[in-house]
Amino acid sequence: MSAEQTRLQEDKECKKHWKKWGPYLTERQWGTVREDYSPDGAAWENVTHSDARSKAYRWGEEGIAGISDYKQKLCLGWAFWNGKDPFIKERLFGLTGNQGNHGEDVKEIYYYLDSTPTHSYMKMLYKYPQTEFPYEKLVNENKKAGKLNPEYEIMDTGIFDEDRYFDIFIEYAKNDFEDIVAKATIHNRGPEDADIWVMPTLWFRKTWFTGHEPFMPRLSKTNENSIKAFSPKSGNFTINFCGEPELKFCDNETNQQRLYNIPNEKKFLKDAINDYIVNGDSTHINPANFGTKAAAIYKITIPAGESREVTLRMQHQVTEDPLELCDECMNLRRIEADEFYQTIQDRITDPDLVRIQRQAFAGMMWSKQFYYYDVERWLEGDPGRYSPPVSRKKGRNSKWVHLQNYDIISMPDKWEYPWYAAWDLAFHCIPISRLDPEFAKDQLLLLLSEWYMHPNGQIPAYEWNFSDVNPPVLAYAVQRVYQIDKKANGGKGDQEFLERALHKLMLNFTWWVNQKDSDGKNIFEGGFLGLDNISLFDRSHAKHYQGKLEQADGTSWMAMFSLNMLRMSLDLCEFNKVYQFTATKFLEHFLYIAGAMSNISNEHISLWDDEDNFFYDVFHLQGKEPNKMKVRSIVGIIPFFAVEPIPEYMFENLPEFKKRLEFFLREKPKLAALVSSWIQPGYDKRRLFSLLRGHRMKSVLHKMLDSEEFLSDFGIRSLSKYHEKNPYTMRINGDSFSIKYTPGESDMQMFGGNSNWRGPIWFPINYLIIESLKKFDFYYGGDFSIEYPTGSGNYLTMDIIAKELSLRCMKIFMRDENGHRPVFGRNKKFQEDPHFKDYILFYEYFHGDSGQGLGASHQTGWTGLVSEMIHKFYKNDEQVANASTLFRS
């Protein structure tokens, strides 16, 4: 057992709270729903980036490479100043959803490079320009650009062209769970000597305005290079700094005069250190050297091509000569991190893929965030503070007064999406379970807990609207995490986890049946279902057009949900055979959904189109015949996900389940005939349930694996390339709607235009396609082949096709024969500069033809699924020795 695995075990057994401290600060608290107290719900404008340096937040804290304790009482972050910017750099800059031509977007360059699951070692890189940061230019150029133009990025400003920037590597190492060493190594990449102010900053999250804090926390100077941090709940910490910094103190209090033109009630304010550094103004600095915010200020001149370090150590129990062993601790934890990942990556022979996977894991570990949101308190306001507008009591999230979030949660992207999203989180947990299965299981149970899940069974979507509906993939994630954890534990499954999850998921399943099957006919709606602009119009508002939409994807997700619950129930029969009755329930649901998809309400209307051999949504316009919306999108591929091979041994001793199954096969043969044959045993005595039998499965795969349709060099597109030359148009109540293949950024405003499902490649969908192919192969074995690519005349087994699709997705990040990574497109600096080319960005989605990264640039959450693809690619000893060789071939 490695040192890191020992720490994980100690944390699990509550012997040492190794995860007490971690990268739990967000990268953007401004512009969030939680901090919005406006009457109109304009969160982006209520607290802006400019406001942030002067505003004491209510619900959380932000910082660059920041850490905090798990309740975010005490925070540590890093601030910098190049001597030219109008304010210090203590938070990342980006455009709001209304400023960007493609929605919100961070305009900084930074990378998550390493982290263990307990955060015993972490490393991050931030690239800070030496010339004035182009804030106004980034805003103005993006304002001029339209939806047809690409985003104007910081690299486009030319600020990095002459290498006049600092590479700032920030590392953390835990000597013990409350003994942390932090180091910033600053490299001058420019041609001349350059000055930089480096400011490790400490502060307490403002909790005292709630009226529940009897004693104020306090930071105070103990000597020339030491600060004591005292909190009644956390006790004392001592922070020792290397060298001779200038220690300055103020309070985490809002500058009301600057923000609202209201006289300040407090003297020592949040932005005091900024004003002191930039303007020499010490008005709001506390001369008594104490407060709730403090910084150790270093002014450093770094010669061209050289580097300097700033080190500190934070301890709950102070040791003699605390700074003496900092380097030794850092080096040891770095070695232990390598040893831990060696056990995870021992089969991967390609060094580039080792790097890609490890940085993907790092991004997932760094993207943990303390998330605090008490909706009832948010609606009503805090004692002694101004009351929120009356309108909010009937507005956003007002139906979620039970929701109380106060947890460490895996975020999609801590700048662009600094709030949890239900279906994103489900996918995060799958690769995370390879590193830290306990954290993955806790995350899934968290969403299912009674202080998250609505009493009616709905799972919260995301803070902009908890009532929105995401695809019901949580059951799939629970099942997958259970299987990964069981295998890692030598075949022993976590019964308590699976049982707890199943019981809560049954409530969610019932909510879907009651709320999204309005006619009780097993055909489901659901609205946009996380696929934003996939349809002709916003599918959440079909009623706006006096119609009703019956969704191929909503119904297929529910078929998949049914099979996931069936399989979980059978897994639990290993411990308690009473779950065979639960398995029977979900078997029936699955069969009835399959029947309904082929014959809606017994009206001979099917979501399957016999002419095109594909699934489509059906739109019912009031007073008119139902109309298939013949858009060739992943909506028609999602039925492929409803597949489950089940070994005979799982049900051979379950008499009631077998009896009910035989009843269906005998009494309802039409339903039984719609799904893959259960009677016929497949490879290794497996039986198969699937929405798609032979003909339909082959037909869907025929389109999906066609390079003129869905198959890209870099995975499966979200919309068929067929629509590039053949846009689909439909008229509804006199209005014309059209959809065409758009492989890059969105060219429309739907959902803010910050994501696009009309052509790009998305990792969660590709992952489910790959996993579904493997499930079919588990049943068919090597006896069943499919033409791949369509029209090539080459026939491969589904397992080989799954591996080949994995490789296409992996290719996005790998070097090609020219040494270039498709993810970086035509960005020469990213492709060729030695200080850029091996640092990976895990974007939200990818260009359908070129593989270039698009959207949020740090969405390691579900794009981190590439780490799972790499893991599976090298699963067996006989697997290909070097993926890069196969890539180039």
Side-chain angles (χ1 to χ4, degrees), residues 97 100-104 147 532 746 748-755:
N101 61 321
H102 294 288
E104 63 267 31
K147 291 293 179 190
D532 292 22
S746 174
M748 60 187 306
Q749 189 58 36
M750 192 187 298
F751 288 90
N754 71 332
S755 67

Side-chain angles (χ1 to χ4, degrees), residues 246 270 274 290 391 598 663 699:
E246 184 179 12
K270 179 179 177 180
N274 172 84
F290 70 85
S391 59
S598 292
F663 169 82
S699 297

Side-chain angles (χ1 to χ4, degrees), residues 326-341:
C326 286
D327 286 343
E328 182 180 328
C329 174
M330 189 70 71
N331 291 334
L332 177 61
R333 294 295 181 255
R334 193 181 295 124
I335 290 168
E336 290 172 349
D338 290 341
E339 291 172 347
F340 171 75
Y341 278 108

